[in-house]
Amino acid sequence: MNRQIKGFSKLSKQAKIEWLVKVHLNDHEDGMKLINSYMHRDSAVQKIHDEFIENTVANYYLPFGVAPNFLINGEQYTIPMAIEESSVVAAASKSAKFWMSRGGFKSHVISSKKIGHIHFIYDGHKDELVSLFSDIKADLLNSTSTITSNMRKRGGGISDITLVDKTQELDEYYQIEVKFETCDSMGANFINSCLEKMAKSLIDLSEKHVKTSDKKLEIIMSILSNYTPECIVHSEVSCPISELIDGPNFSTDEFAKKFKLAVEIARIEPFRATTHNKGIMNGIDAVILATGNDFRAVEAACHTYAAKDGQYRSLTYCDINDGIFKFWIQIPLSLGTVGGLTKLHPLVKMSLNILGNPSAHKLMQIVATSGLAQNFAALKALTTTGIQKGHMKMHLLNILNQLGATEIEKEILQQHFSKSVPHHAEVVNAFNDLRGSKGPEVEEYHA
Ligand code: MEV
């Protein structure tokens, strides 16, 4: 069957759905039913969702959970999290509760500058370009004055503009690097608009200033960088080692040492660092999504930052000094609490409400803390009981749901496996035994 289609974007939403069901789902009635069942019953809300992206045909739900009991800089928070992975919200909640009685999390923003570049090539002499740049710098800045006027009133705007010579790495390649303060907005559109305006002025002004017609300045592109090494937040916890956990086979001292070693392994071993940081991103992405921020941008920035010295390393650190255990995170986070989805998506609005409508700086502190809490919970489990114990509880529920277990069957089997970590096949066998028959064949569920 020919699956190519011209003018798809021009079709009505209904026509798009009909095409999809006909061509890709064999006209199956269930496909249509499923898509319709995922539409919001309030057509005004559905329209908002339809208009977030192009070619919307349905909504894709993620669970929206909350992790209470976070104490950050003395303030209590319940943190909203949108995530499909089991155990993440539970881990955040457990860490929050653990640290609440030990002084809570302390967090501060180190700096919140964002960076964008005009990437261009210039085939003249560098000295001419340096002199041109110094002549036109003020005009370049002025050319953005209408775009920056509101931001300047709010205390933001352009804070720096420099010419960067990159010709050692790429022939004739230069940048104009621009630094921005974007207050409570993430600022991507603002930054890109400023850069594009400046790039146009750069061409106009260079044509006026550089008289020799054979000198060519050509703009390649103008765009913000999602790497934000000057938009950094720090969050930490600390307590006397004696207040950490112990168990039947380990003392608080042993726990602290093992925990610190686990962090050190992730500092020197990229295989471990990747998983370690993935766990941190579980906590971060979930809050980023719930608050309508751009998790791809945050992921990209954090991973670049993790490799800033040439090797991919842990984003968290641990230290033990004079009997005090200290655990912290320092990461780039470019976030907004105004603009974007913040006033559009009803659950994003609610999330920000739950957090007390924070400023972007406060949200940076909350998000970094969520990442740190997640990493604490993961390392605590990994270095003591192992990760599967907690994971399998929820995993078990997912397998039982997949098998179509009733609420009573779920209760019986959860009780049955309360002390062990069952494998998929064991759950299926126990389920079949309980029903006294062979249940449905289900593919192994992987969390
Ligand atoms: C699972 O999503 C995340 C962990 O693997 C993180 C880690 O190993 O630190 C548990």
Side-chain angles (χ1 to χ4, degrees):
M1 182 194 279
N2 181 7
R3 292 182 163 154
Q4 225 180 356
I5 178 165
K6 271 198 186 132
F8 184 71
S9 64
K10 308 267 178 326
L11 297 180
S12 69
K13 182 178 170 189
Q14 191 53 35
K16 283 177 189 143
I17 295 171
E18 278 162 19
W19 176 85
L20 193 70
V21 171
K22 179 164 181 247
V23 174
H24 288 275
L25 303 171
N26 299 330
D27 247 338
H28 220 291
E29 227 181 85
D30 290 351
M32 186 61 91
K33 261 200 210 140
L34 186 69
I35 287 178
N36 284 331
S37 72
Y38 273 77
M39 299 299 178
H40 202 282
R41 59 182 141 68
D42 180 339
S43 60
V45 177
Q46 184 55 51
K47 191 160 185 301
I48 295 173
H49 286 75
D50 287 350
E51 291 175 0
F52 284 147
I53 62 163
E54 309 75 35
N55 298 343
T56 309
V57 291
N59 303 312
Y60 183 97
Y61 294 164
L62 278 183
F64 179 92
V66 291
N69 298 322
F70 270 91
L71 186 65
I72 308 174
N73 297 337
E75 279 183 62
Q76 288 178 7
Y77 292 93
T78 294
I79 299 190
M81 303 178 97
I83 186 160
E84 86 300 344
E85 184 174 332
S86 58
S87 302
V88 170
V89 178
S93 309
K94 270 195 191 164
S95 273
K97 197 166 159 219
F98 181 87
W99 286 106
M100 181 159 239
S101 55
R102 290 163 180 81
F105 297 82
K106 308 275 180 302
S107 187
H108 66 279
V109 170
I110 292 172
S111 58
S112 55
K113 280 198 182 76
K114 288 140 195 189
I115 299 173
H117 298 96
I118 300 170
H119 303 268
F120 66 97
I121 48 170
Y122 180 70
D123 68 357
H125 199 279
K126 182 185 166 185
D127 291 347
E128 281 174 359
L129 188 62
V130 171
S131 143
L132 168 75
F133 180 69
S134 121
D135 288 349
I136 66 171
K137 193 171 163 181
D139 292 331
L140 283 179
L141 263 178
N142 282 341
S143 70
T144 62
S145 63
T146 38
I147 308 174
T148 58
S149 124
N150 272 337
M151 194 62 90
R152 278 184 282 125
K153 278 184 207 144
R154 281 155 43 204
I158 296 174
S159 61
D160 198 16
I161 158 170
T162 44
L163 175 70
V164 185
D165 180 357
K166 286 274 171 180
T167 53
Q168 295 291 316
E169 288 138 272
L170 190 63
D171 215 20
E172 299 179 351
Y173 170 41
Y174 294 87
Q175 302 169 339
I176 288 186
E177 182 171 272
V178 191
K179 294 193 179 161
F180 298 84
E181 204 58 72
T182 61
C183 305
D184 282 336
S185 63
M186 191 262 195
N189 281 330
F190 168 74
I191 293 173
N192 289 335
S193 300
C194 287
L195 291 170
E196 287 189 2
K197 186 80 210 289
M198 259 192 211
K200 189 169 176 313
S201 304
L202 175 64
I203 292 292
D204 295 347
L205 292 163
S206 70
E207 275 165 11
K208 266 196 220 148
H209 282 69
V210 181
K211 299 283 179 280
T212 13
S213 56
D214 57 340
K215 301 281 162 23
K216 210 172 111 235
L217 190 157
E218 190 185 343
I219 305 289
I220 305 302
M221 60 192 158
S222 307
I223 185 79
L224 94 166
S225 173
N226 284 121
Y227 183 40
T228 54
E230 292 181 40
C231 188
I232 301 286
V233 58
H234 173 107
S235 190
E236 67 175 60
V237 284
S238 64
C239 72
I241 288 179
S242 57
E243 288 178 20
L244 288 171
I245 56 156
D246 54 11
N249 316 318
F250 60 93
S251 65
T252 51
D253 252 337
E254 282 162 340
F255 170 75
K257 278 193 195 121
K258 212 168 164 192
F259 189 101
K260 183 168 179 263
L261 259 178
V263 177
E264 278 164 6
I265 290 170
R267 290 217 61 73
I268 59 113
E269 169 52 75
F271 277 98
R272 175 56 204 151
T274 307
T275 318
H276 179 100
N277 289 346
K278 187 274 180 189
I280 294 173
M281 299 319 285
N282 280 346
I284 291 182
D285 284 347
V287 192
I288 297 287
L289 264 175
T291 57
N293 276 280
D294 182 343
F295 70 91
R296 287 86 54 207
V298 167
E299 284 274 349
C302 283
H303 296 303
T304 309
Y305 194 70
K308 64 183 182 311
D309 70 4
Q311 185 186 313
Y312 190 86
R313 297 181 190 281
S314 155
L315 290 165
T316 53
Y317 307 78
C318 182
D319 192 26
I320 297 173
N321 211 343
D322 271 348
I324 301 292
F325 170 90
K326 187 171 150 187
F327 179 49
W328 72 99
I329 189 167
Q330 197 153 302
I331 45 167
L333 281 179
S334 171
L335 306 181
T337 54
V338 298
L341 287 194
T342 55
K343 292 275 172 302
L344 292 174
H345 196 299
L347 284 177
V348 167
K349 270 201 268 183
M350 190 178 81
S351 294
L352 291 169
N353 236 326
I354 292 170
L355 292 172
N357 291 313
S359 64
H361 276 207
K362 263 205 176 159
L363 186 60
M364 285 166 78
Q365 295 167 9
I366 293 165
V367 172
T369 296
S370 170
L372 184 69
Q374 200 59 227
N375 192 221
F376 179 77
L379 295 185
K380 179 167 160 275
L382 284 167
T383 55
T384 56
T385 55
I387 205 76
Q388 285 309 90
K389 196 167 170 235
H391 250 278
M392 288 311 287
K393 258 198 207 160
M394 293 298 286
H395 188 54
L396 173 64
L397 194 61
N398 281 324
I399 300 173
L400 292 174
N401 279 335
Q402 211 187 3
L403 287 165
T406 63
E407 289 310 308
I408 291 178
E409 286 168 338
K410 280 188 220 170
E411 217 172 283
I412 295 170
L413 291 168
Q414 278 175 318
Q415 182 61 32
H416 179 77
F417 287 115
S418 63
K419 292 212 166 39
S420 60
V421 177
H423 187 262
H424 180 95
E426 290 172 286
V427 180
V428 175
N429 288 342
F431 174 77
N432 289 340
D433 286 349
L434 184 67
R435 283 217 169 161
S437 69
K438 191 160 161 24
E441 289 286 336
V442 287
E443 255 178 56
E444 186 154 345
Y445 179 91
H446 290 283

